[in-house]
Amino acid sequence: MVEVAIVGAGLMGSAMAFPLSDNGHTVWLIGTHLDDEIIRTCREKRYHPRLRRALPENVLPCFSEEIPRVVPHVQVIVSGVSSYGVHWVGRAIAPYVRPGQKIIAVTKGLEATEDGDLCILPDVLAGELPEDVRDRIRIAAIGGPCIAGELAGRRQSCVVFGARDPETVESLAQTFRTSYYHVWTTTDVVGLEMAAALKNAYTLGVGLAAGLLEGIADDDASDAQMHNLAAAVFAQACVEIEYILRTFAAPRSFSYALPGAGDLYVTCQGGRTMRLGRLLGMGYSLVEAQELMAGETLESVAILQVLGRALPRLEARGVLEGDRLPLLRALTDTVCQGQPVVLPLDQFFQTVPELQNSQSVRCRSR
Amino acid sequence: MVEVAIVGAGLMGSAMAFPLSDNGHTVWLIGTHLDDEIIRTCREKRYHPRLRRALPENVLPCFSEEIPRVVPHVQVIVSGVSSYGVHWVGRAIAPYVRPGQKIIAVTKGLEATEDGDLCILPDVLAGELPEDVRDRIRIAAIGGPCIAGELAGRRQSCVVFGARDPETVESLAQTFRTSYYHVWTTTDVVGLEMAAALKNAYTLGVGLAAGLLEGIADDDASDAQMHNLAAAVFAQACVEIEYILRTFAAPRSFSYALPGAGDLYVTCQGGRTMRLGRLLGMGYSLVEAQELMAGETLESVAILQVLGRALPRLEARGVLEGDRLPLLRALTDTVCQGQPVVLPLDQFFQTVPELQNSQSVRCRSR
């Protein structure tokens, strides 16, 4: 039996309590200062209002004030916040973490340094911990396709845990694995987290198709959709993820396995990023679309803002070739510079050596 | 201006007439003996009843009896039939083809020899042509994500033309390319056609999730779906396609580009294969499911029957390791042997060296 503190009582953090509880572990579900209403309902009704599901046994909901009491006594800490909360979690637990503890983060995102170097969020979190303890705490992260509401519903889910240290990641996998929560492990946590963050960026591109369809206001009696376009964007997303991972010496296989194509697929089945993409495709500006989605955490915007700053710097340093990322560039132009979305289809697939497009060559030689 | 004969007036064959017509080519749309009703409506009303769309200019619908009159005079022949019609098309046009003509096939599928070797359908078609002409006819094929109704609706579509001869494929691409029909080219027609055929097999696996969800008849107030499972199957499909392509020295990139992930994605957006998968997931046997879908061409069943015969032979010859294709094996067991569907999740992702699963190792060592 392991004692676990989940910090962040939103959808994904809270869903992690289900496999843990089913494995007989004791789970403190600690809300952030934004989660007070959720925690109150959890305590009064043993019911999670956002997951719309009864809280499982062995789960003890508590307010963020209880971090000092709970955190020092657990073996595992789950960082269950969005990318916007990573620094907060690090600072909140920093005074109370102890050597030997493990931290595993569900958060998907990246940060960038002034030079454009990309940092994965588990490292950002670790950066907030006291220096003397930091190296004696094991940090891990979760990638792969997992919608929180399905995990809480004990639907079959296949995910990847990553940590630089193989013993850490295997021990965490054993703590979490159930008959419905299938955990693969990797020591390539940088590749895992890059793929996990990038899929939020690229899902926005796939979502555009639905909006573009509505935008043409075509009274089409034969009801043609725009799945062909969405699929082309999906494929180019996989191709660009492959190129980025290759550039950073991360596993190229993560472009077509659970962390890349799998996670991209599940994110394209609906949710906030697809809704935002649809609004942009319909012609709303980013500001207008954000107003229509007020109150929702938009991880796709966060990651595209990071990449919009980082890419020109990485390009200037010769790390990446921006020409090879036409889809990502179109998306960052839209999110960072408010430009209307233009999908440069004829520039797609240039990094696939087995595919040629003489149209594109002609366009570029002008 | 090119003169083109499309043989097969079903959805995909007929949709090819739209970019051709928009480019000013003359198109004979020749129905097979199964298409008489379609051709009659096309001739009487200038309207395609299955595409539910007016026939474009320059398209001349005709019955299969006109093959002897039309085929000798065209520069390009499009084979627009399903995999079940490939031999028929080859035999029907064989007496009338002339050296220098190009044939391009939209059909997706494979055939297998007695030894289990897999043959792509353009080669099967070529095998029906007279020996003295065969080598002087250029054969090509089309892969990538393209729903016929969307192409006919002139929606943006990105596809790949493949032929062993680069001049053939580039010349065909120029004939078909429009502002909405974007054509990449490859000389790796075997990889292209294998990816195109395999996506029909694997889409059946992705479709299972929707049926499994209905099958558990869970009165779930929080409405959890099964997208996580579908995404895991999608990812494993990409991983197995990568393994198969690698085995046959075909481009691995086709697992995560337009021909693999892209085509798989579009096929998973709906249609016959997903409906069949859903029925199997609900617990119907293949026979029952086929009865419920009577009259529909089920390419997924065709390709899985081919693979179910070929795989054990390829495995016996040491060409492939069946253990590395747990999803495909589960699907062929269901389609060829009528077994209920069991998804062996813990055996997934074994060919991804960066991912470990000690659960699976434990299972396999027993």
Side-chain angles (χ1 to χ4, degrees):
Chain A
M1 212 272 293
V2 178
E3 301 196 73
V4 183
I6 299 172
V7 185
L11 288 170
M12 198 66 227
S14 305
M16 298 301 293
F18 287 73
L20 288 167
S21 165
D22 287 345
N23 281 344
H25 305 307
T26 298
V27 183
W28 280 273
L29 180 63
I30 308 177
T32 71
H33 48 292
L34 301 171
D35 299 332
D36 284 354
E37 192 55 45
I38 293 172
I39 296 298
R40 243 189 306 276
T41 308
C42 285
R43 290 174 82 119
E44 282 166 20
K45 304 185 179 166
R46 297 290 304 165
Y47 177 84
H48 195 292
R50 290 197 60 201
L51 285 173
R52 290 183 291 149
R53 201 170 284 280
L55 221 56
E57 290 178 21
N58 314 329
V59 177
L60 309 164
C62 43
F63 297 98
S64 57
E65 289 74 18
E66 296 180 67
I67 285 177
R69 186 178 66 81
V70 171
V71 166
H73 303 290
V74 298
Q75 290 95 59
V76 174
I77 301 163
V78 177
S79 167
V81 296
S82 79
S83 68
Y84 296 95
V86 169
H87 288 278
W88 180 88
V89 164
R91 284 176 209 146
I93 65 173
Y96 313 107
V97 291
R98 289 182 300 105
Q101 287 180 323
K102 299 183 184 81
I103 301 177
I104 185 160
V106 302
T107 319
K108 299 187 174 184
L110 292 170
E111 291 196 356
T113 66
E114 280 300 304
D115 289 339
D117 283 321
L118 298 170
C119 310
I120 63 171
L121 295 185
D123 291 343
V124 171
L125 193 159
E128 297 287 351
L129 305 181
E131 271 187 53
D132 57 325
V133 186
R134 196 186 297 162
D135 294 340
R136 290 182 288 161
I137 289 191
R138 303 297 182 185
I139 306 267
I142 307 180
C146 191
I147 294 170
E150 296 188 20
L151 175 56
R154 297 181 176 85
R155 303 279 183 259
Q156 299 291 322
S157 304
C158 295
V159 300
V160 182
F161 283 14
R164 292 184 178 88
D165 165 41
E167 280 171 39
T168 297
V169 73
E170 187 47 45
S171 138
L172 283 166
Q174 282 179 21
T175 302
F176 283 81
R177 272 183 187 131
T178 68
S179 60
Y180 58 87
Y181 193 57
H182 305 263
V183 181
W184 280 256
T185 59
T186 185
T187 52
D188 216 311
V189 64
V190 171
L192 180 67
E193 289 300 277
M194 291 192 77
L198 289 169
K199 64 98 193 185
N200 276 327
Y202 284 110
T203 298
L204 193 69
V206 179
L208 293 169
L212 288 167
L213 182 63
E214 292 182 52
I216 57 177
D218 193 355
D219 190 11
D220 182 4
S222 61
D223 199 27
Q225 304 294 303
M226 274 210 192
H227 297 311
N228 291 356
L229 177 61
V233 174
F234 187 95
Q236 176 64 10
C238 293
V239 165
E240 293 193 12
I241 290 172
E242 193 274 344
Y243 173 69
I244 295 172
L245 293 178
R246 177 157 39 105
T247 302
F248 288 95
R252 301 169 67 167
S253 60
F254 287 2
S255 63
Y256 59 82
L258 273 182
D263 204 357
L264 191 61
Y265 181 83
V266 88
T267 314
C268 291
Q269 298 311 301
R272 286 167 277 189
T273 305
M274 287 294 276
R275 286 206 301 282
L276 179 61
R278 179 176 148 267
L279 291 172
L280 295 176
M282 288 169 75
Y284 288 102
S285 72
L286 179 68
V287 172
E288 292 166 338
Q290 282 178 306
E291 274 168 21
L292 289 167
M293 296 184 70
E296 302 209 56
T297 306
L298 297 173
E299 292 285 15
S300 55
V301 173
I303 180 66
L304 283 166
Q305 285 171 338
V306 169
L307 294 171
R309 285 190 303 271
L311 286 179
R313 292 165 196 186
L314 292 169
E315 207 175 336
R317 288 167 52 203
V319 177
L320 278 173
E321 287 181 55
D323 280 355
R324 302 191 153 214
L325 300 168
L327 174 57
L328 188 54
R329 199 181 252 178
L331 294 170
T332 56
D333 283 352
T334 294
V335 165
C336 303
Q337 291 159 38
Q339 295 182 10
V341 184
V342 180
L343 288 171
L345 296 180
D346 288 325
Q347 294 172 34
F348 281 11
F349 310 116
Q350 291 181 54
T351 53
V352 183
E354 296 86 1
L355 294 182
Q356 286 83 44
N357 183 341
S358 61
Q359 262 185 330
S360 150
V361 172
R362 276 204 304 277
C363 288
R364 298 177 73 211
S365 64
R366 266 191 231 135
Chain B
M1 213 271 292
V2 178
E3 301 197 74
V4 183
I6 299 172
V7 186
L11 288 171
M12 198 66 228
S14 305
M16 298 302 293
F18 287 72
L20 288 168
S21 165
D22 288 345
N23 282 343
H25 305 306
T26 299
V27 183
W28 281 272
L29 179 62
I30 308 177
T32 71
H33 48 292
L34 300 171
D35 298 332
D36 283 353
E37 193 55 44
I38 293 172
I39 296 298
R40 243 189 307 275
T41 308
C42 284
R43 290 173 81 118
E44 284 166 19
K45 304 185 181 168
R46 296 291 303 166
Y47 177 86
H48 196 291
R50 289 196 61 203
L51 285 173
R52 290 183 292 147
R53 203 172 283 280
L55 221 56
E57 290 178 21
N58 315 329
V59 177
L60 310 164
C62 44
F63 297 99
S64 57
E65 289 73 19
E66 297 180 65
I67 285 176
R69 186 179 64 84
V70 171
V71 165
H73 303 289
V74 299
Q75 290 94 61
V76 175
I77 301 162
V78 178
S79 167
V81 297
S82 78
S83 68
Y84 297 95
V86 170
H87 288 278
W88 179 87
V89 165
R91 283 176 211 147
I93 65 174
Y96 313 106
V97 289
R98 289 183 300 109
Q101 287 181 321
K102 300 183 183 79
I103 301 177
I104 185 161
V106 303
T107 319
K108 299 186 174 186
L110 293 169
E111 290 197 356
T113 67
E114 279 301 305
D115 289 339
D117 283 321
L118 298 170
C119 311
I120 62 171
L121 295 184
D123 291 343
V124 171
L125 193 160
E128 297 288 351
L129 304 182
E131 270 185 57
D132 57 327
V133 186
R134 195 184 299 161
D135 294 340
R136 291 181 288 161
I137 288 192
R138 303 297 180 183
I139 306 265
I142 306 180
C146 193
I147 294 170
E150 296 188 19
L151 175 57
R154 299 182 176 84
R155 303 278 183 257
Q156 298 292 320
S157 304
C158 295
V159 301
V160 182
F161 283 15
R164 291 183 178 88
D165 164 39
E167 278 170 41
T168 297
V169 73
E170 186 49 43
S171 136
L172 284 165
Q174 282 178 22
T175 302
F176 284 81
R177 271 182 189 134
T178 68
S179 61
Y180 58 88
Y181 192 56
H182 305 262
V183 181
W184 279 256
T185 59
T186 185
T187 53
D188 216 312
V189 64
V190 172
L192 180 68
E193 288 301 277
M194 291 193 78
L198 289 168
K199 64 97 195 188
N200 276 326
Y202 284 111
T203 298
L204 193 70
V206 178
L208 293 169
L212 289 167
L213 181 64
E214 292 181 53
I216 57 177
D218 191 359
D219 191 9
D220 182 3
S222 60
D223 197 28
Q225 304 294 300
M226 274 210 190
H227 298 310
N228 291 355
L229 177 62
V233 174
F234 186 95
Q236 176 65 11
C238 292
V239 165
E240 293 193 12
I241 290 172
E242 192 274 344
Y243 173 69
I244 295 171
L245 292 179
R246 178 156 38 108
T247 303
F248 288 95
R252 301 170 68 169
S253 60
F254 287 2
S255 63
Y256 60 83
L258 272 183
D263 204 359
L264 191 61
Y265 181 83
V266 87
T267 315
C268 291
Q269 298 312 301
R272 286 167 277 192
T273 306
M274 287 294 276
R275 288 206 300 281
L276 179 61
R278 179 176 148 267
L279 291 171
L280 295 175
M282 288 169 74
Y284 289 102
S285 73
L286 179 69
V287 173
E288 292 165 338
Q290 282 177 308
E291 275 168 20
L292 288 168
M293 296 183 69
E296 304 209 53
T297 306
L298 298 173
E299 292 286 14
S300 54
V301 173
I303 180 67
L304 283 165
Q305 284 170 340
V306 169
L307 293 171
R309 286 191 303 271
L311 285 180
R313 293 166 196 184
L314 292 170
E315 206 175 337
R317 289 166 52 203
V319 177
L320 278 173
E321 287 181 55
D323 280 354
R324 305 194 149 213
L325 300 168
L327 174 57
L328 187 55
R329 198 182 252 176
L331 294 170
T332 56
D333 284 354
T334 295
V335 165
C336 302
Q337 292 158 39
Q339 295 182 10
V341 184
V342 180
L343 288 172
L345 297 182
D346 289 324
Q347 294 171 35
F348 281 11
F349 310 115
Q350 290 180 56
T351 52
V352 182
E354 295 87 0
L355 294 182
Q356 287 83 44
N357 184 341
S358 61
Q359 266 185 330
S360 149
V361 172
R362 277 204 305 276
C363 287
R364 300 178 70 208
S365 63
R366 264 192 233 133

